[in-house]
Amino acid sequence: MTSTPPDAAASVPAGEAGGPATPHVALDHPGIVELFALLAYGEVAAFYRLTEEARMAPNLNGRINMASMAAAEMNHYEVLRDALDQRGVDVVPAMTKYASALENYHRLTTPSTWLEALVKTYVGDAMAADFYLQIADVMPDEVAEVVRSVLSETGHSQFVVAEVRAAVTASDRQRHRLALWSRRLLGEAITQAQFVMADHDELVDLVMSGGGLSQMTDFFDRLQNTHNRRMQELGLA
Amino acid sequence: MTSTPPDAAASVPAGEAGGPATPHVALDHPGIVELFALLAYGEVAAFYRLTEEARMAPNLNGRINMASMAAAEMNHYEVLRDALDQRGVDVVPAMTKYASALENYHRLTTPSTWLEALVKTYVGDAMAADFYLQIADVMPDEVAEVVRSVLSETGHSQFVVAEVRAAVTASDRQRHRLALWSRRLLGEAITQAQFVMADHDELVDLVMSGGGLSQMTDFFDRLQNTHNRRMQELGLA
């Protein structure tokens, strides 16, 4: 449990291909509470945005799929709230400081059509999954478990693929439009992630303990790579 | 399983005090599919209404409590969808016919303050729980199990009690206002329930098989009684 020394292997980058890297981060690293708080607000913000964007759904099926995804976000939130609770931290005050970055991301990426809403859902879900997986690799087991159990609930957004592919196969204009839109989503997410890092030293230190600066660059590179893979799945590449 | 004869004991009212009554309804009664479809739409409608009404929350805590309740509604929905699926019924077309009654209920009871939203949540959750419990008693085991598993998820609305009690203790005017409001909620729910019954013979037949007309009168009487108990809990009686 506590056998992982804090900065033990700061120069060793996290393993990308060869299986999960050895955890580098101490269980009591103050960044862990901040990370959980950030993710918790992310889940609540996603819940309300998904539900609002579901108004654009052309039919009941679409509204129900969005509602199911939103419900899954609240289940993730509850996992994170309990993990914070076990560390003696009250989730609501802890997560409030991350509100502006997440609300800004959503405000700057408000979809104007149902297809944009679908792509945002898919891209957002995929980015969250990448993010969770990458941080789980460098965390102590107990923390990785929380992160992976949150991750295991994602995958609700598969319903998006068929609908988006059909639309972009039928219309080149739609494909170009949605390809630009998805690039904008990634850009805004990275911008807001960098703002969060700039404001919260514990989080920067957490990423540093997990492998240093190369880890941070790798992190954004990998986000970009998996984003490209998602664009191919949606027929937007 | 199928050993319960349909109209076997139509004159025996469902046991109110002496434990659950013997199931009176056949497993293949066509009203069961209709009941599940009605409840399924009820969950989806509640999800979207709770989420919309949560906008009135004065703080993040209130918004999160509402979101957790809404997420629980979607979990109920999924139980009902799976139960319909096992009976070879596609949930979305089956439930669409109940949309107008449920949307009308919500439209006619749109809260204008956060306290009204809280009371509506509490009263609605309690009415749903009463309803589920009462129908479970007269259903075949397999159906009762579905109904009870949906019920077991309720109880999220306890957070309402403290907030409403505090408000009505501090203000008589608020107490009178919310007492009227809660009576209106019950009234509209009963009105819409009667409309649904009038339009759907299979549901009427289901209630009749479950104990006949006295059962139906008892049902509304009991709703009224438990409603009064809830009003006391909220300090509104």
Side-chain angles (χ1 to χ4, degrees), chain A residues 41 44 47-48 50-52 54-55 60-68 70-72 74-75 77-78 81 91-92 95-96 103 156, chain B residues 41 44 47-48 50-52 54-55 60-68 70-72 74-75 77-78 81 91-92 95-96 103 156:
Chain A
Y41 196 93
V44 174
F47 173 89
Y48 276 106
L50 285 174
T51 311
E52 202 170 305
R55 287 161 190 267
L60 188 53
N61 253 322
R63 284 224 305 288
I64 288 171
N65 284 331
M66 283 295 215
S68 287
M74 284 314 290
N75 297 339
Y77 165 79
E78 282 157 17
R81 178 201 58 201
V91 61
V92 171
M95 75 190 191
T96 307
E103 297 297 346
H156 280 78
Chain B
Y41 196 93
V44 174
F47 174 88
Y48 277 105
L50 284 175
T51 311
E52 202 171 305
R55 288 162 192 268
L60 188 54
N61 254 322
R63 285 226 304 289
I64 288 172
N65 284 331
M66 284 293 214
S68 286
M74 283 315 289
N75 297 339
Y77 165 79
E78 281 156 20
R81 176 201 61 200
V91 60
V92 171
M95 75 189 190
T96 308
E103 298 296 345
H156 281 75

Side-chain angles (χ1 to χ4, degrees), chain B residues 4 10 62 80 111 121 127-128 143 175 201 210 217 235:
Chain B
T4 323
L80 294 161
T121 299
M127 284 193 295
V143 176
R175 191 172 70 246
D201 290 345
T217 323

